[in-house]
Amino acid sequence: MAADWRIPFNRPAMAGRELDYVRRAIEDGHISGGGSFTSRCQDLLRDVLGTEAVILTTSGTHALEMSAILLGIKPGDEVIMPSFTFVSTANAFALRGARIVFSDIRMDTLNMDEDQLPSLVTERTRAVVPVHYGGVGCEMDSISSICGPLGIPVVEDNAHGLFATYRGRKLGTMGRMAALSFHETKNITCGEGGALVVNDPSLVSAAEIVRDKGTDRSRFLRGEVDRYTWVSLGSSYQPSDMLAAYLLAQLEDRQKIWERRSFLWNRYMDGLAPLAAEHGIRLPAVPAHCSHSSHVFYLLMPDRPSRDGLMDGLRNRGILAVFHYQPLHLSVMARGEGHCPNTISAASRILRLPIYPGLTESEQDTVMEGVRETIEGGLR
Ligand SMILES: Cc1ncc(COP(=O)(O)O)c(C=O)c1O
């Protein structure tokens, strides 16, 4: 619970108009999905990203599940993704029966190591799913140049990097589709929510059908058919308009949220760089051709004991710092398939510091002081 910590790991951003908009959704009498707030969020995201269509979903996980259904993933198909990611990236495709093939990550950005892709692709590869870790873009040019000629669709997992760019292009607009997350921990949130970015025009109406429980209800609502019926596989992926109302307030204030996060991220970087250099600690790396979303600020400690020691030192001061992800290729479900030493190394050494718009500068100073004192006090 956030309240139990002097400085919690996360406090969801409140832009200001959330409650007004939620009240308006309720007063308008349209609280199921597909109301005016849903449309406004979708249109705003489509226009800002400059893409074909954006479909709000009940979570980032569900956006990934929709992409797997839309690609017709079936048992025997292979889907390549990094081992260093959240469970949902894999689970969404495993649900369709796919075998997940894990790539390792680059040690600089902790993103999928694009150089491994050629050796992982087989004639059964049906999708590649790069994850823009911390909102820093994967090497999309290399990934596209490998997948494009082979006709392998790319689905970007952009749960972290909304509005960030790679070589001037918005993350989430370079693959055939992309998943966004609006979970409480994300930069822009409505508690639980997500979106499927559909960059391929030929998939837009199919995506509506998958979202609408496998029916052509959207065509019916537009007057294109006189009744709607079951036409393909699908599920119930549309969020309530009350959640869309909350989300719209956040999206409208995206610049303010972005600037505050960037400010805090840069302040961590400036404040901790000398200490990191002195103690062999690695801070986040952002290639010059990427603008990032300041979603994560991490320290890569020299080893697991020093990571655990720093985490304990901060917790003793009432500061919650956390680590993630457990290497997916070593999970019970993946049964150890894959060779991902960088993933194992990063997962055992990473520690994420609190970063959110409501973090005050004095709280951030307390976090940095805690890091400094714990490290200089000797970790073991
Ligand atoms: C990389 C990544 N992909 C997907 C997800 C799933 O998003 P959601 O929690 O909205 O289902 C997350 C959530 O943390 C994530 O970090």
Side-chain angles (χ1 to χ4, degrees), residues 70-308:
L70 285 163
L71 293 179
I73 301 291
K74 57 184 187 319
D77 291 348
E78 294 178 359
V79 177
I80 302 174
M81 65 185 62
S83 172
F84 191 66
T85 184
F86 190 62
V87 172
S88 296
T89 320
N91 202 50
F93 293 89
L95 269 174
R96 315 301 325 150
R99 175 171 167 258
I100 308 301
V101 176
F102 291 105
S103 88
D104 205 356
I105 49 170
R106 303 162 53 111
M107 253 352 258
D108 54 357
T109 55
L110 310 187
N111 279 334
M112 168 183 264
D113 182 353
E114 66 283 358
D115 289 343
Q116 290 194 352
L117 259 188
S119 66
L120 298 175
V121 167
T122 73
E123 60 195 16
R124 290 179 299 281
T125 306
R126 293 292 173 270
V128 170
V129 190
V131 178
H132 302 301
Y133 180 70
V136 177
C138 294
E139 281 308 320
M140 292 306 292
D141 281 351
S142 308
I143 293 169
S144 305
S145 73
I146 296 161
C147 294
L150 298 170
I152 300 171
V154 174
V155 177
E156 299 172 68
D157 182 333
N158 194 27
H160 297 183
L162 181 57
F163 306 131
T165 61
Y166 165 82
R167 297 193 192 282
R169 284 169 278 160
K170 293 255 175 9
L171 302 189
T173 63
M174 293 169 278
R176 206 157 167 213
M177 288 173 271
L180 308 178
S181 169
F182 303 119
H183 181 261
E184 175 181 299
T185 51
K186 302 303 188 295
N187 291 15
I188 303 278
T189 179
C190 59
E192 298 276 358
L196 182 72
V197 181
V198 186
N199 299 316
D200 176 347
S202 73
L203 288 176
V204 175
S205 65
E208 288 175 344
I209 289 169
V210 170
R211 176 203 54 203
D212 291 338
K213 296 119 178 148
T215 72
D216 54 354
R217 182 168 176 273
S218 290
R219 296 183 64 207
F220 169 70
L221 293 176
R222 286 194 293 267
E224 293 164 17
V225 287
D226 64 358
R227 75 201 70 183
Y228 69 89
T229 183
W230 185 21
V231 293
S232 91
L233 282 184
S235 192
S236 182
Y237 288 124
Q238 181 145 264
S240 155
D241 224 44
M242 289 187 291
L243 285 177
Y246 192 106
L247 183 65
L248 183 67
Q250 299 247 318
L251 286 170
E252 287 179 346
D253 262 326
R254 62 193 178 282
Q255 192 60 28
K256 208 168 76 185
I257 295 171
W258 175 281
E259 280 168 13
R260 179 70 189 162
R261 293 190 78 101
S262 303
F263 171 78
L264 293 167
W265 195 98
N266 290 326
R267 205 164 173 270
Y268 267 141
M269 190 57 115
D270 294 343
L272 293 174
L275 182 81
E278 196 181 326
H279 293 272
I281 298 166
R282 245 254 291 122
L283 300 179
V286 181
H289 53 271
C290 293
S291 76
H292 67 107
S293 62
S294 308
H295 179 56
V296 172
F297 192 92
Y298 65 80
L299 292 90
L300 262 190
M301 299 297 288
D303 50 29
R304 183 191 292 268
S306 58
R307 189 275 305 276
D308 293 348

